[in-house]
Amino acid sequence: MTSPATPKQIRIADLSARTQAQIHAAREKVARLHGELIRWNLVVWTAGNVSQRIRCAEEAGTDLLVIKPSGVPYELLTPDAMVVCDLAGHKVDDGTDASLRPSSDVFAHGYVYQQMVEVGGVVHTHSTFATAWAARHQPIPCVLTMMADEFGGEIPVGPLAVIGDDSIGRGIVETLRGSRSRAVLMANHGPFTIGVDATAAVKTAAMCEEVAHTVQVSAQMGEPVPIPQHTIDRLYARYQNDYGQHEPSPAGNA
């Protein structure tokens, strides 16, 4: 089932300077992050994609997304090659090469953005070990503290869905709603990850592959030992709320 068409054609040139600047920055960011997929060995050839949401619904009537073009080699993914679409997956008039079609996963990305307003970035890869778990329809059990930190439990498996419409997006949303995981293993397909922005979603994709590999190696040595739920909860809360650097407290409130 495809998403409904946007009622009007959007032209980037008609949007405010602020929104145009957001789109320009997103194009640069998304182009650079596709290089991170190569760096972390998460994709081969032209597989995989990164997208970033542009929050401009009040002005344009819909938020937009920036994603890579379909079937274009990674070494050619410049900022100008990135494609701007509405959340129904339709390319907008962005003043660039009209022949560049968006990634075939654009409908999945757009559906996630429509249904999960907190999500600002989506990533899809076919990384080897995470995809191997997906091929078995088997969630990755939470047997590592870094899994508890990042995913808050197991990495779940979503349903088998065929590319070409928003069916994959529906499976992603149905699986991740109610889960603390920001990654889902779509059955017989591969991992999709979400984040507050595209950078966070790429980080989650890299972490997903790392734990998929480690847990697979552990399983070959013997049965991995699950982490108790109360410990998972404690680790997740610490990592989400206390880990890393934070803005200093205002003077007088330290």
Side-chain angles (χ1 to χ4, degrees):
M1 181 182 298
T2 56
S3 300
T6 299
K8 65 175 182 177
Q9 174 66 29
I10 298 169
R11 295 178 67 250
I12 300 302
D14 294 337
L15 301 178
S16 66
R18 179 177 178 273
T19 297
Q20 290 188 48
Q22 283 184 287
I23 292 169
H24 176 77
R27 276 186 153 136
E28 293 190 334
K29 181 179 188 177
V30 170
R32 174 179 56 80
L33 287 172
H34 279 93
E36 292 296 298
L37 300 187
I38 295 287
R39 178 187 176 197
W40 295 101
N41 297 315
L42 302 179
V43 295
V44 297
W45 202 239
T46 62
N49 37 71
V50 177
S51 74
Q52 171 86 31
R53 182 202 290 263
I54 307 296
R55 298 187 185 275
C56 59
E58 290 187 2
E59 178 181 0
T62 175
D63 282 350
L64 302 175
L65 65 87
V66 175
I67 197 167
K68 82 176 182 69
S70 178
V72 175
Y74 275 77
E75 63 269 21
L76 301 180
L77 294 183
T78 63
D80 286 344
M82 298 299 103
V83 181
V84 185
C85 295
D86 62 32
L87 300 191
H90 302 134
K91 182 176 179 179
V92 305
D93 183 355
D94 58 5
T96 61
D97 186 348
S99 68
L100 285 176
R101 295 180 296 109
S103 165
S104 52
D105 284 310
V106 67
F107 304 110
H109 289 240
Y111 186 84
V112 171
Y113 290 132
Q114 290 177 55
Q115 300 298 318
M116 304 180 78
V117 296
E118 73 278 11
V119 173
V122 178
V123 171
H124 172 48
T125 77
H126 294 279
S127 58
T128 302
F129 286 90
T131 302
W133 286 86
R136 293 184 292 176
H137 294 211
Q138 185 174 355
I140 305 174
C142 189
V143 296
L144 304 169
T145 58
M146 69 186 299
M147 285 193 70
D149 289 343
E150 182 71 27
F151 302 101
E154 71 174 21
I155 299 177
V157 174
L160 173 62
V162 179
I163 199 167
D165 60 17
D166 61 15
S167 299
I168 293 172
R170 290 175 179 274
I172 294 168
V173 171
E174 289 167 6
T175 305
L176 291 185
R177 274 187 173 157
S179 171
R180 292 191 296 203
S181 177
R182 292 186 292 268
V184 54
L185 309 175
M186 293 301 288
N188 302 102
H189 189 170
F192 282 78
T193 61
I194 60 174
V196 294
D197 62 10
T199 301
V202 170
K203 176 202 170 187
T204 299
M207 295 285 282
C208 178
E209 178 63 7
E210 174 66 15
V211 300
H213 188 176
T214 303
V215 177
Q216 179 64 32
V217 171
S218 175
Q220 291 170 346
M221 299 169 65
E223 187 67 25
V225 178
I227 299 174
Q229 186 61 51
H230 71 274
T231 303
I232 292 174
D233 294 341
R234 180 179 177 184
L235 289 166
Y236 181 77
R238 180 203 65 85
Y239 188 77
Q240 300 300 319
N241 299 313
D242 300 326
Y243 177 79
Q245 302 302 312
H246 301 275
E247 293 294 326
S249 300
N253 294 328

